[in-house]
Amino acid sequence: MKKVLSRIGVFLITVAVASVAVFLLLSALPGDAAAIKLGTEASPQALEQMRHELGLDRPMYLRYLSWAGVMIRGDMGISANSGVSIAADVMQGLQVTLLLVVIAMVIALLIAFVFGTLAAVYRERALGTVISVISQIGVSIPAFLAGLILVIVFSVGLGLLPATGWASPDDPVQFLRHVALPALSLGLVQGAILSRYVRSAVLEVTTEDFMRTARAKGLSSSQALRRHGIRNALVPIMNIAGVETASVLIGAVVVERVFEIRGLGSLLVSSVENRDLPEVQAIVMVLVVMVLFVNLVVDLLSAAVDPRFGGER
């Protein structure tokens, strides 16, 4: 329990430090929020009044405390561009992005475990070599390029799936048709990356003493791997998967633009284009918290399955 509380404490401290960094870095960007809001024809008096209303004439630490306070309460303010609630925009985009990332990671982990384990078990045979070559090719292809290739094949060529757009999960058939290509473009590339880590982790665990002991007791190599090896190989794989989830989030920003999906990534890009600083700060902070939260969950799960934290081989 102490380890769990300690990790949660580190998570909260990291979020606080990250919030300071996000606020200071984005506040340092060039541009006058009052001028953006009122336009270039506004008088100096009107600009001064708007800066006062936006709190831009207050000391930096007071502006940070005010911003952090509303972020904690979930009230992210009003978009300087659209005039609507930032929280509503962010929550709508967040739901789309989370669905896309979760499905992409499920695809990636399935590919990684199946082909990474096969590459390790058959490392001295043709199958292992073929899988290693394919994974190397997959690692070198960016997610957006994979998305374009999938669109050309499945939308333009075969006409099976829509090339753009999004559908609500309330309509499962249309949802799966729309999410298939963007999730595959992220999942296939990430699966190729993770399969290399799975291969290394499985190869390393097969040389451990407890695996030799299991085989000496009469278990075949595959039985020893299923009963004892996989669980021990999970720890480094889970840590890498947590780190790679951040890569999927970043990749989703580009993929959402390719497939014209109104997710958090697309919202971030449009906010930057419109120089909507309050919305950019809110979206970046939400993304940072998501990445840190995933790492916290992975850290706790790793501790739960790691024999050094109380489990047994």
Side-chain angles (χ1 to χ4, degrees):
M1 181 56 73
K2 285 184 178 178
K3 290 186 173 66
V4 173
L5 294 176
S6 173
R7 284 179 173 83
I8 293 174
V10 170
F11 165 74
L12 295 175
I13 293 172
T14 308
V15 169
V17 173
S19 70
V20 174
V22 168
F23 181 81
L24 292 179
L25 288 174
L26 293 179
S27 297
L29 292 177
D32 188 338
I36 294 172
K37 194 173 182 66
L38 295 179
T40 55
E41 302 298 326
S43 66
Q45 293 77 13
L47 288 173
E48 193 63 29
Q49 179 62 31
M50 180 56 66
R51 292 191 187 98
H52 179 70
E53 291 177 5
L54 295 175
L56 299 178
D57 55 352
R58 292 187 297 168
M60 184 67 79
Y61 75 95
L62 288 178
R63 289 165 55 193
Y64 166 75
L65 291 176
S66 174
W67 173 76
V70 296
M71 286 291 291
I72 290 173
R73 293 195 301 271
D75 177 12
M76 302 175 185
I78 302 299
S79 167
N81 181 57
S82 63
V84 302
S85 167
I86 294 175
D89 269 353
V90 169
M91 288 307 297
Q92 186 177 5
L94 183 60
Q95 291 175 15
V96 173
T97 299
L98 278 179
L99 277 172
L100 178 59
V101 169
V102 168
I103 295 172
M105 282 305 295
V106 169
I107 293 171
L109 289 172
L110 286 174
I111 292 172
F113 273 107
V114 172
F115 291 99
T117 304
L118 287 175
V121 172
Y122 297 100
R123 60 187 178 280
E124 295 178 353
R125 300 183 188 179
L127 178 60
T129 303
V130 170
I131 293 173
S132 296
V133 171
I134 293 175
S135 68
Q136 184 62 46
I137 295 173
V139 168
S140 62
I141 298 177
F144 75 91
L145 181 57
L148 292 175
I149 294 172
L150 289 172
V151 166
I152 292 171
V153 174
F154 292 98
S155 298
V156 179
L158 301 176
L160 296 176
L161 296 169
T164 58
W166 186 258
S168 168
D170 296 336
D171 186 345
V173 174
Q174 288 303 316
F175 171 71
L176 290 175
R177 291 187 75 243
H178 282 83
V179 79
L181 294 185
L184 276 174
S185 62
L186 287 168
L188 289 175
V189 173
Q190 209 59 42
I193 296 171
L194 287 173
S195 67
R196 297 172 65 81
Y197 289 104
V198 172
R199 180 181 182 276
S200 299
V202 173
L203 282 177
E204 184 177 348
V205 83
T206 55
T207 62
E208 295 284 348
D209 291 339
F210 66 89
M211 288 292 288
R212 284 193 285 271
T213 302
R215 288 193 291 269
K217 289 181 177 179
L219 296 179
S220 66
S221 296
S222 59
Q223 288 174 327
L225 186 62
R226 285 197 304 271
R227 295 186 185 182
H228 304 287
I230 294 296
R231 179 184 176 185
N232 288 277
L234 276 178
V235 178
I237 294 170
M238 289 173 64
N239 286 327
I240 293 298
V243 173
E244 291 300 321
T245 300
S247 300
V248 175
L249 272 171
I250 296 169
V253 173
V254 180
V255 168
E256 286 175 5
R257 297 292 283 186
V258 171
F259 290 93
E260 297 182 9
I261 298 172
R262 188 65 178 169
L264 210 54
S266 293
L267 186 62
L268 176 61
V269 173
S270 62
S271 300
V272 172
E273 290 173 345
N274 295 323
R275 304 178 68 83
D276 192 341
L277 183 59
E279 193 159 77
V280 173
Q281 285 178 323
I283 295 171
V284 172
M285 197 61 221
V286 168
L287 289 172
V288 168
V289 172
M290 283 174 61
V291 172
L292 293 175
F293 181 73
V294 169
N295 286 329
L296 170 67
V297 172
V298 170
D299 207 15
L300 295 176
L301 289 175
S302 299
V305 301
D306 191 339
R308 292 169 298 180
F309 286 86
E312 295 181 357
R313 287 175 175 173

